[in-house]
């Protein structure tokens, strides 16, 4: 039996999600914009929404866009891993925001990234709740 989070194809992976009270379009606009990208990819992250486009953060972490489906999903390489942010509609006009990361090296890295993504969701929720 495989360890939790260890896949045959993608190594160690983790996924976290949260249902937010905002509509999908508002959550998408935030996470795909400069402020949202900075929260989940790192300060200074700017993405060109096309497959193969490179990006870097102010911290020097970079990768390339692997998939970009407007209003729905952004998938990028992030160092040696792959990260995906997904927005989907939930009942009552709410939104489920999911972050998924794969190709991590160990169970320890998986747990550290789980905590990281939980903090990211906390910060996204707080930013979306802040008065405009």
């Amino acid at each position: 039996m495989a360890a939790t989070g260890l896949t045959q194809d993608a190594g160690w992976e983790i996924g976290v999600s949260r249902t937010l009270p905002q509509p999908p379009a508002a959550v998408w606009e935030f996470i795909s914009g400069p402020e949202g990208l900075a929260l989940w990819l790192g300060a200074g992250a700017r993405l060109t929404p096309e497959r193969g486009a490179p990006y870097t953060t102010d911290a020097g972490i970079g990768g390339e866009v692997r998939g970009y489906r407007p209003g729905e999903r952004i998938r990028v390489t992030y160092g040696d891993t792959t990260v995906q942010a997904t927005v989907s509609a939930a009942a009552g006009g709410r939104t489920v925001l999911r972050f998924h990361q794969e190709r991590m090296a160990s169970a320890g890295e998986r747990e550290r990234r789980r905590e990281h993504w939980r903090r990211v969701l906390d910060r996204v929720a707080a930013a979306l709740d802040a008065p405009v």
Side-chain angles (χ1 to χ4, degrees):
M1 186 167 147
T4 300
L6 181 59
T7 67
Q8 192 170 7
D9 300 339
W12 292 92
E13 64 180 8
I14 189 66
V16 297
S17 65
R18 179 162 311 160
T19 301
L20 301 166
Q22 293 81 10
V27 174
W28 175 261
E29 184 177 326
F30 180 77
I31 68 146
S32 65
E35 188 181 352
L37 288 169
L39 284 180
W40 67 276
L41 286 177
R46 299 286 186 272
L47 291 184
T48 300
E50 59 187 47
R51 188 174 173 86
Y55 78 91
T56 57
T57 67
D58 290 348
I61 296 171
E64 72 175 40
V65 176
R66 288 290 172 91
Y68 196 101
R69 197 172 293 166
E72 188 179 320
R73 180 174 61 225
I74 301 170
R75 185 172 173 83
V76 298
T77 59
Y78 186 84
D80 294 333
T81 70
T82 302
V83 174
Q84 180 170 286
T86 307
V87 172
S88 57
R94 299 175 306 157
T95 302
V96 177
L97 175 59
R98 291 181 180 85
F99 290 102
H100 182 266
Q101 187 169 11
E102 59 190 43
R103 304 197 182 288
M104 291 174 285
S106 68
E109 183 181 3
R110 178 181 186 266
E111 288 309 306
R112 285 188 298 278
R113 298 309 288 175
R114 177 200 312 270
E115 290 309 310
H116 166 78
W117 293 117
R118 285 179 174 163
R119 287 189 304 273
V120 167
L121 284 170
D122 288 345
R123 290 194 298 264
V124 169
L128 287 168
D129 281 342
V132 179

mmCIF file of all heavy atoms in Angstrom, residues 38-54:
data_model
loop_
_atom_site.group_PDB
_atom_site.id
_atom_site.type_symbol
_atom_site.label_atom_id
_atom_site.label_comp_id
_atom_site.label_asym_id
_atom_site.label_seq_id
_atom_site.Cartn_x
_atom_site.Cartn_y
_atom_site.Cartn_z
ATOM 1 N N ALA A 38 0.902 37.075 -6.241
ATOM 2 C CA ALA A 38 1.936 37.271 -5.225
ATOM 3 C C ALA A 38 1.678 36.398 -4.002
ATOM 4 O O ALA A 38 2.619 35.888 -3.389
ATOM 5 C CB ALA A 38 2.011 38.740 -4.823
ATOM 6 N N LEU A 39 0.396 36.190 -3.645
ATOM 7 C CA LEU A 39 0.073 35.368 -2.471
ATOM 8 C C LEU A 39 0.390 33.898 -2.699
ATOM 9 O O LEU A 39 0.823 33.211 -1.777
ATOM 10 C CB LEU A 39 -1.398 35.512 -2.095
ATOM 11 C CG LEU A 39 -1.798 36.793 -1.394
ATOM 12 C CD1 LEU A 39 -3.283 36.793 -1.083
ATOM 13 C CD2 LEU A 39 -0.994 36.979 -0.122
ATOM 14 N N TRP A 40 0.149 33.379 -3.900
ATOM 15 C CA TRP A 40 0.353 31.936 -4.061
ATOM 16 C C TRP A 40 1.622 31.559 -4.804
ATOM 17 O O TRP A 40 2.133 30.462 -4.605
ATOM 18 C CB TRP A 40 -0.888 31.254 -4.614
ATOM 19 C CG TRP A 40 -1.331 31.539 -6.009
ATOM 20 C CD1 TRP A 40 -2.104 32.586 -6.434
ATOM 21 C CD2 TRP A 40 -1.101 30.738 -7.160
ATOM 22 N NE1 TRP A 40 -2.345 32.484 -7.774
ATOM 23 C CE2 TRP A 40 -1.751 31.352 -8.248
ATOM 24 C CE3 TRP A 40 -0.417 29.538 -7.395
ATOM 25 C CZ2 TRP A 40 -1.733 30.832 -9.536
ATOM 26 C CZ3 TRP A 40 -0.403 29.015 -8.671
ATOM 27 C CH2 TRP A 40 -1.046 29.657 -9.720
ATOM 28 N N LEU A 41 2.177 32.430 -5.631
ATOM 29 C CA LEU A 41 3.442 32.111 -6.304
ATOM 30 C C LEU A 41 4.631 32.836 -5.697
ATOM 31 O O LEU A 41 5.743 32.332 -5.734
ATOM 32 C CB LEU A 41 3.360 32.451 -7.795
ATOM 33 C CG LEU A 41 2.526 31.511 -8.642
ATOM 34 C CD1 LEU A 41 2.469 32.012 -10.084
ATOM 35 C CD2 LEU A 41 3.079 30.098 -8.589
ATOM 36 N N GLY A 42 4.387 34.012 -5.158
ATOM 37 C CA GLY A 42 5.457 34.788 -4.557
ATOM 38 C C GLY A 42 5.457 36.215 -5.075
ATOM 39 O O GLY A 42 4.968 36.491 -6.173
ATOM 40 N N ALA A 43 6.000 37.114 -4.274
ATOM 41 C CA ALA A 43 6.038 38.532 -4.631
ATOM 42 C C ALA A 43 6.683 38.709 -6.000
ATOM 43 O O ALA A 43 7.684 38.068 -6.316
ATOM 44 C CB ALA A 43 6.814 39.309 -3.577
ATOM 45 N N GLY A 44 6.081 39.579 -6.785
ATOM 46 C CA GLY A 44 6.629 39.894 -8.099
ATOM 47 C C GLY A 44 6.221 38.960 -9.213
ATOM 48 O O GLY A 44 6.594 39.171 -10.365
ATOM 49 N N ALA A 45 5.469 37.916 -8.896
ATOM 50 C CA ALA A 45 5.061 36.955 -9.936
ATOM 51 C C ALA A 45 4.116 37.635 -10.924
ATOM 52 O O ALA A 45 3.155 38.283 -10.533
ATOM 53 C CB ALA A 45 4.369 35.743 -9.312
ATOM 54 N N ARG A 46 4.413 37.478 -12.183
ATOM 55 C CA ARG A 46 3.548 37.973 -13.256
ATOM 56 C C ARG A 46 3.461 36.850 -14.281
ATOM 57 O O ARG A 46 4.490 36.318 -14.695
ATOM 58 C CB ARG A 46 4.133 39.216 -13.939
ATOM 59 C CG ARG A 46 4.318 40.408 -13.032
ATOM 60 C CD ARG A 46 2.997 41.084 -12.701
ATOM 61 N NE ARG A 46 3.166 42.301 -11.941
ATOM 62 C CZ ARG A 46 3.231 42.371 -10.622
ATOM 63 N NH1 ARG A 46 3.175 41.281 -9.892
ATOM 64 N NH2 ARG A 46 3.365 43.530 -10.023
ATOM 65 N N LEU A 47 2.264 36.528 -14.692
ATOM 66 C CA LEU A 47 2.084 35.442 -15.656
ATOM 67 C C LEU A 47 1.547 35.962 -16.975
ATOM 68 O O LEU A 47 0.647 36.796 -16.996
ATOM 69 C CB LEU A 47 1.077 34.411 -15.139
ATOM 70 C CG LEU A 47 1.465 33.549 -13.964
ATOM 71 C CD1 LEU A 47 0.359 32.541 -13.679
ATOM 72 C CD2 LEU A 47 2.775 32.838 -14.198
ATOM 73 N N THR A 48 2.081 35.432 -18.044
ATOM 74 C CA THR A 48 1.490 35.608 -19.358
ATOM 75 C C THR A 48 0.587 34.397 -19.545
ATOM 76 O O THR A 48 1.061 33.264 -19.431
ATOM 77 C CB THR A 48 2.578 35.642 -20.451
ATOM 78 O OG1 THR A 48 3.447 36.734 -20.164
ATOM 79 C CG2 THR A 48 1.969 35.810 -21.830
ATOM 80 N N PRO A 49 -0.705 34.604 -19.786
ATOM 81 C CA PRO A 49 -1.646 33.474 -19.800
ATOM 82 C C PRO A 49 -1.572 32.619 -21.066
ATOM 83 O O PRO A 49 -2.550 32.453 -21.772
ATOM 84 C CB PRO A 49 -3.002 34.154 -19.637
ATOM 85 C CG PRO A 49 -2.805 35.503 -20.221
ATOM 86 C CD PRO A 49 -1.382 35.873 -19.945
ATOM 87 N N GLU A 50 -0.385 32.053 -21.317
ATOM 88 C CA GLU A 50 -0.266 31.146 -22.451
ATOM 89 C C GLU A 50 0.730 30.047 -22.123
ATOM 90 O O GLU A 50 1.737 30.273 -21.451
ATOM 91 C CB GLU A 50 0.130 31.889 -23.722
ATOM 92 C CG GLU A 50 1.436 32.631 -23.633
ATOM 93 C CD GLU A 50 1.701 33.497 -24.857
ATOM 94 O OE1 GLU A 50 0.794 34.227 -25.271
ATOM 95 O OE2 GLU A 50 2.822 33.433 -25.384
ATOM 96 N N ARG A 51 0.423 28.861 -22.601
ATOM 97 C CA ARG A 51 1.246 27.681 -22.349
ATOM 98 C C ARG A 51 2.686 27.929 -22.804
ATOM 99 O O ARG A 51 2.932 28.439 -23.888
ATOM 100 C CB ARG A 51 0.642 26.495 -23.100
ATOM 101 C CG ARG A 51 1.280 25.172 -22.771
ATOM 102 C CD ARG A 51 0.494 24.044 -23.462
ATOM 103 N NE ARG A 51 1.157 22.790 -23.298
ATOM 104 C CZ ARG A 51 1.001 21.984 -22.255
ATOM 105 N NH1 ARG A 51 0.170 22.318 -21.300
ATOM 106 N NH2 ARG A 51 1.651 20.849 -22.172
ATOM 107 N N GLY A 52 3.632 27.585 -21.936
ATOM 108 C CA GLY A 52 5.045 27.723 -22.251
ATOM 109 C C GLY A 52 5.663 29.050 -21.862
ATOM 110 O O GLY A 52 6.874 29.214 -21.909
ATOM 111 N N ALA A 53 4.839 30.025 -21.452
ATOM 112 C CA ALA A 53 5.372 31.340 -21.067
ATOM 113 C C ALA A 53 6.147 31.225 -19.757
ATOM 114 O O ALA A 53 5.657 30.632 -18.798
ATOM 115 C CB ALA A 53 4.238 32.344 -20.926
ATOM 116 N N PRO A 54 7.348 31.783 -19.690
ATOM 117 C CA PRO A 54 8.126 31.738 -18.449
ATOM 118 C C PRO A 54 7.646 32.789 -17.455
ATOM 119 O O PRO A 54 7.017 33.778 -17.832
ATOM 120 C CB PRO A 54 9.546 32.047 -18.917
ATOM 121 C CG PRO A 54 9.359 32.907 -20.122
ATOM 122 C CD PRO A 54 8.078 32.428 -20.771
#
